Amino acid sequence: MKKTKILCLVLALAMCLSLAACGGGDTTTTTPSGDTGSTTTTPPADTGETTTPPADTGEDTTPEPPAEVDTRLAADVYTAEAFDAAGYEEKSDEIYDLVLGDFYAAYQEALAEVDTSVRAAKMAVAEAKFLEAAMGVPMQNNTGGTGISRVIPRSVPTVTWGYDQTYRGYRNLLVVNERPLTPAERAEATTLWSSKVGTGEAYQALVDWAAEKGFTLADTLTFTYTATPTTWDTLGTAQATSGEVTSPTWDGLLIYNNENMQQPGLAESYEVSDDGLTYTFHIRQGVKWVTSQGTEVGEVKADDWVAALQHSCDTKAGLADLIYGTVKNLREYGTGEITDFSQVGVKALDDYTLQYTLEVNAPWFLTLTGYSALAPMSRDYYVSQGGKFGAEFDAAASDYLYGTDPEHIAYCGPYLITNYTYQNTIAYTANPSYWNPDNVRIKSITRRYFDGTDPLFAWNNFEEGTFYSVTVSSQVRPIAEQKASEVDPSKNYVEAYGYSSHEGTTSIMNWNNVNRYAHSNLYNDPSAMVSTKTVTDAERTAAAMLNQNFRLALALSYDRHTYMVNVYGEADPDGQMTNSYVPGNFTTLSKEVTVDIAGTPTTFPAGTNYGEILQAAITADGYPMKVWDPAGADGAGSSFGFDGWYNPTAAAEYLDKAIEELAAEDIEISTENPIYLDMPYSDYDTTASAAQQAVKQSYDAAFGGRVIVNLVAAGDGDTENDSNYNPTDGYMMNYDLGGLTGWGPDYGDPQTYLDTVIPYGYECIAWGLY
């Protein structure tokens, strides 16, 4: 999804269908010494004159540079007012070229390929360069681990791209009222579903199966959310925490059913030209735009997709660039090379005919039609709320109301947002004007805010019947093991109902900030999460972070297993752990392919997984990371379920190399002169804080005092998000370590992940760039 950056609030146990977990504890802060002993030398100004050097007397007359230590707090110097916006982009380009130039060159070669198998193999080679740059360490996917649930599996779409299908799919989620399902019942339902795929009968078969088992089905849902939406404008965000809450308010051109087959949505039909460059959609007539109160404000027209795509570009929120280079001239408009949006490849041929013109043949384009990058927006309603287009767009204008709250958007989807209470509740009610009301089984949805303070919040709500699923975390497990099951009183809840969820395709990464400016929360509250580092400390950190060996030392010293134990307990701590950015089983070669790996032509047979090629490239380049286990997933191979990065011996070796290289730049790193690194700390959440303490301890053990991690307490989840998730500009990212965000796919090509790490790609923000 351009995807919308996915937040894992460092594991606050957010219970939704995917069993995503997040977390928080005690404050431990190591205060920098202030006097680091570093030296800086200011070169003389270039006057344009030629100067004559002094005569060589045989003696070294070069004066020693004065020791300059700036003990001012970095937070007092690196302020919003002092930020050099003009030089920031140029500096970002320079840093990107330095740290990711090899990846970018290899990736451009892969993008030029039209053969899908050769393209995938070359993208794996390119990703190897990206992982070797150690911009962070892979963490986990958003599924996996042990769960207990009343949801009938496969009752909603399970396509691996786009969160929108999932959240709009809740309209038909099948949840039994009586008790959780046993693993055997889940397997039986899944087998039944498999037998009906492709017939259009799978959903009704699951409904009938539930009735035969004596289950009744819920028509209301309650689950949680963990991050306050920053906007209600679907097209003005690339953050899942905002986009997912508005997803049920609109419909796409095409819709996935629970058999993962696309069905007519707001488009009744479509045609694709023979060359694959023109897509023409015929819009359903009579669909209404309404307000949150259900008041009609217009009819859905083809032009609403034209307005939406222009608005998405105008917001600069990072969503539209998902299809930069795909929709004709969209990149050029988004980057300002052209200002006339009529030159972009989206047109309303008439009120009910919409046409996209592409720059390249993109067979995956149809998979985007239910995703927010191609969502509609009522042009008339947007303008009525102060909205403007192009150079006139100004989200800060006093009369601009669009997307500021649920009452200032127009709805054409299955639900209206009828109540929003800050850090409390988001409530949805079935839209009475929805074009397909018979396709909405769930009549109301309530989402409850979880602030991370109660590790049993999800369990308590689940036990009382409010939530329909729960993750068996380290705190939940001992409680669930004390509760006798309904199906067999001799078995507890974990024994009777616990199941391992499927591997997901969301890749959550723990990023490093290689261009840090903010040392307090410049995004929202500069008085929050203030770093104790001095200006000199910050300068030394910045130099270290630009060193690849230093970043590798960080990545390989992160004890992810112990982190997971603190979150999930000893039973299945590594169930969610991933080791690559693109999941290794995301795609396979359809034919034999030969690609160059470290200067050697290497052949891979048809059926080879992406992860196997990725591993071959990393190994050939001489790096120790294990990203693919050929024995994983019962012999099918997997990049999940093991820790292929933690290697304190190699980490120490990389740190020694970094210290030697940085010494050549007159930067001493020692126990007397350590590098200080700030990491956001979820002190409000006992689960996450324990895990973060474990991370700090693994760094401390690997670095022996030469690198010191400061845990910077957040106080609450929204404040922490303001430090490392909510900022829309890289300079506002307030951390050195711990930008824990992720990405999920939008279509079935590795490009859907790797486009996020090119210049101006969405994850660049996490590194302090752009």
Side-chain angles (χ1 to χ4, degrees):
M1 308 157 214
K2 165 104 204 206
K3 180 162 188 157
T4 345
K5 200 163 65 164
I6 291 179
L7 170 70
C8 180
L9 269 183
V10 194
L11 290 97
L13 302 179
M15 279 317 305
C16 58
L17 186 61
S18 63
L19 297 179
C22 303
D26 296 333
T27 304
T28 299
T29 302
T30 305
T31 303
S33 61
D35 184 350
T36 65
S38 67
T39 61
T40 58
T41 306
T42 303
D46 184 357
T47 64
E49 299 176 354
T50 302
T51 57
T52 303
D56 187 355
T57 63
E59 300 180 17
D60 184 3
T61 59
T62 305
E64 290 294 326
E68 296 181 2
V69 176
D70 192 333
T71 59
R72 293 176 297 169
L73 276 181
D76 292 339
V77 175
Y78 302 127
T79 63
E81 295 75 16
F83 176 65
D84 176 17
Y88 176 61
E89 183 175 346
E90 181 178 354
K91 183 179 180 184
S92 292
D93 285 338
E94 292 173 354
I95 291 176
Y96 187 96
D97 289 344
L98 173 67
V99 298
L100 286 173
D102 290 345
F103 155 74
Y104 187 76
Y107 184 51
Q108 295 308 302
E109 182 179 338
L111 287 176
E113 288 290 343
V114 294
D115 183 290
T116 56
S117 290
V118 176
R119 176 185 174 93
K122 288 191 172 184
M123 286 193 176
V125 174
E127 185 184 346
K129 303 297 183 187
F130 172 67
L131 295 178
E132 292 160 9
M135 302 302 287
V137 60
M139 284 296 293
Q140 64 189 93
N141 59 66
N142 251 6
T143 58
T146 300
I148 301 172
S149 179
R150 293 187 284 115
V151 174
I152 297 178
R154 304 291 181 171
S155 58
V156 297
T158 55
V159 292
T160 58
W161 43 85
Y163 59 79
D164 300 286
Q165 290 89 354
T166 298
Y167 283 91
R168 278 197 304 282
Y170 282 166
R171 74 184 82 182
N172 286 318
L173 193 66
L174 297 178
V175 180
V176 303
N177 290 310
E178 287 72 18
R179 59 167 174 80
L181 299 181
T182 66
E185 289 167 337
R186 295 180 62 83
E188 186 178 337
T190 301
T191 299
L192 173 63
W193 172 85
S194 298
S195 72
K196 299 293 185 179
V197 168
T199 67
E201 301 172 356
Y203 186 80
Q204 187 59 46
L206 293 177
V207 172
D208 295 342
W209 175 85
E212 291 168 4
K213 291 289 183 180
F215 291 121
T216 59
L217 297 172
D219 62 1
T220 63
L221 292 180
T222 303
F223 56 103
T224 192
Y225 72 103
T226 59
T228 301
T230 58
T231 181
W232 301 87
D233 178 359
T234 291
L235 296 150
T237 181
Q239 295 178 339
T241 51
S242 294
E244 71 183 31
V245 300
T246 60
S247 180
T249 70
W250 56 274
D251 252 349
L253 293 163
L254 302 178
I255 299 172
Y256 283 97
N257 64 11
N258 77 313
E259 297 174 27
N260 294 332
M261 305 294 291
Q262 284 189 312
Q263 307 293 310
L266 294 184
E268 292 183 304
S269 62
Y270 67 90
E271 297 92 40
V272 183
S273 63
D274 291 341
D275 62 5
L277 297 179
T278 304
Y279 287 72
T280 304
F281 296 91
H282 301 284
I283 305 304
R284 187 179 302 276
Q285 298 186 29
V287 179
K288 305 300 182 184
W289 286 108
V290 298
T291 67
S292 60
Q293 291 79 33
T295 303
E296 183 180 334
V297 293
E299 184 183 359
V300 173
K301 301 285 184 69
D303 180 61
D304 292 331
W305 278 268
V306 180
L309 192 54
Q310 183 172 12
H311 174 59
S312 184
C313 283
D314 290 343
T315 65
K316 306 296 184 185
L319 186 64
D321 59 347
L322 167 65
I323 44 179
Y324 279 4
T326 302
V327 174
K328 183 179 179 180
N329 284 336
L330 188 65
R331 183 196 304 274
E332 288 73 12
Y333 178 82
T335 58
E337 293 179 43
I338 63 174
T339 58
D340 181 2
F341 193 76
S342 67
Q343 298 180 39
V344 175
V346 58
K347 299 284 187 296
L349 303 185
D350 56 44
D351 280 352
Y352 303 108
T353 309
L354 172 69
Q355 188 173 89
Y356 289 96
T357 303
L358 309 187
E359 293 182 0
V360 294
N361 187 337
W364 40 262
F365 185 74
L366 286 175
T367 68
L368 285 170
T369 54
Y371 178 56
S372 54
L374 295 184
M377 180 189 74
S378 170
R379 182 188 293 272
D380 290 344
Y381 182 82
Y382 171 72
V383 171
S384 76
Q385 301 302 303
K388 296 181 175 62
F389 295 92
E392 295 182 349
F393 171 74
D394 181 7
S398 59
D399 63 342
Y400 184 79
L401 299 175
Y402 188 80
T404 54
D405 59 46
E407 296 183 357
H408 290 92
I409 57 174
Y411 298 72
C412 67
Y415 294 100
L416 309 178
I417 300 175
T418 51
N419 178 39
Y420 169 62
T421 304
Y422 176 70
Q423 291 191 348
N424 185 287
T425 302
I426 305 174
Y428 302 80
T429 301
N431 180 0
S433 299
Y434 185 54
W435 66 272
N436 191 11
D438 294 339
N439 195 32
V440 182
R441 173 178 290 273
I442 301 298
K443 303 306 180 185
S444 64
I445 299 173
T446 301
R447 300 189 67 174
R448 292 184 176 179
Y449 180 71
F450 173 55
D451 63 6
T453 58
D454 179 7
L456 296 179
F457 175 79
W459 169 257
N460 290 335
N461 277 275
F462 174 76
E463 191 175 22
E464 70 182 25
T466 305
F467 288 1
Y468 55 80
S469 295
V470 67
T471 295
V472 182
S473 67
S474 57
Q475 288 85 1
V476 166
R477 182 175 291 274
I479 306 299
E481 289 178 340
Q482 296 299 312
K483 183 178 176 66
S485 70
E486 295 89 344
V487 293
D488 183 351
S490 69
K491 292 184 177 180
N492 63 48
Y493 252 54
V494 178
E495 293 170 331
Y497 302 127
Y499 72 98
S500 295
S501 60
H502 299 283
E503 295 175 355
T505 52
T506 294
S507 292
I508 294 173
M509 302 285 289
N510 191 85
W511 298 119
N512 300 325
N513 190 338
V514 298
N515 185 35
R516 183 180 181 185
Y517 179 83
H519 284 72
S520 64
N521 281 2
L522 298 187
Y523 171 75
N524 192 29
D525 179 6
S527 69
M529 298 190 71
V530 178
S531 172
T532 58
K533 292 202 296 185
T534 68
V535 170
T536 296
D537 293 329
E539 291 171 348
R540 286 165 48 78
T541 300
M545 278 296 196
L546 293 181
N547 183 282
Q548 180 191 11
N549 286 318
F550 185 83
R551 298 192 305 273
L552 282 163
L554 294 177
L556 298 175
S557 61
Y558 194 121
D559 185 354
R560 296 183 297 158
H561 174 79
T562 301
Y563 177 96
M564 296 296 184
V565 167
N566 278 278
V567 176
Y568 300 110
E570 295 283 357
D572 185 23
D574 299 339
Q576 292 199 31
M577 193 180 296
T578 188
N579 292 279
S580 58
Y581 192 46
V582 180
N585 55 3
F586 183 67
T587 187
T588 58
L589 302 184
S590 61
K591 67 176 187 180
E592 181 180 288
V593 167
T594 299
V595 292
D596 184 277
I597 294 183
T600 301
T602 306
T603 300
F604 297 95
T608 299
N609 280 291
Y610 177 94
E612 185 176 343
I613 305 170
L614 176 62
Q615 183 67 71
I618 289 174
T619 301
D621 287 343
Y623 292 88
M625 295 84 80
K626 178 182 177 181
V627 300
W628 178 252
D629 178 8
D634 298 323
S638 178
S639 56
F640 297 101
F642 62 94
D643 189 346
W645 283 71
Y646 182 53
N647 189 333
T649 300
E653 293 172 355
Y654 281 117
L655 181 61
D656 287 341
K657 292 178 183 177
I659 289 174
E660 182 178 350
E661 291 168 352
L662 289 165
E665 301 176 25
D666 293 325
I667 299 173
E668 175 196 343
I669 302 177
S670 63
T671 54
E672 294 78 23
N673 237 344
I675 295 293
Y676 294 99
L677 302 173
D678 290 337
M679 185 169 76
Y681 182 58
S682 308
D683 57 312
Y684 55 90
D685 186 323
T686 55
T687 301
S689 60
Q692 291 161 342
Q693 287 279 4
V695 172
K696 173 178 168 55
Q697 290 168 10
S698 71
Y699 283 131
D700 290 346
F703 299 145
R706 295 175 294 177
V707 177
I708 294 176
V709 175
N710 296 319
L711 298 179
V712 183
D716 61 66
D718 283 345
T719 300
E720 183 170 357
N721 292 344
D722 288 347
S723 76
N724 65 2
Y725 180 73
N726 289 334
T728 53
D729 294 287
Y731 82 91
M732 295 181 181
M733 287 294 185
N734 180 27
Y735 64 89
D736 296 308
L737 304 171
L740 196 63
T741 64
W743 201 262
D746 304 299
Y747 46 88
D749 188 294
Q751 180 182 352
T752 189
Y753 291 93
L754 297 180
D755 264 0
T756 69
V757 296
I758 62 175
Y760 299 94
Y762 202 75
E763 294 297 2
C764 288
I765 298 173
W767 310 326
L769 304 178
Y770 303 111

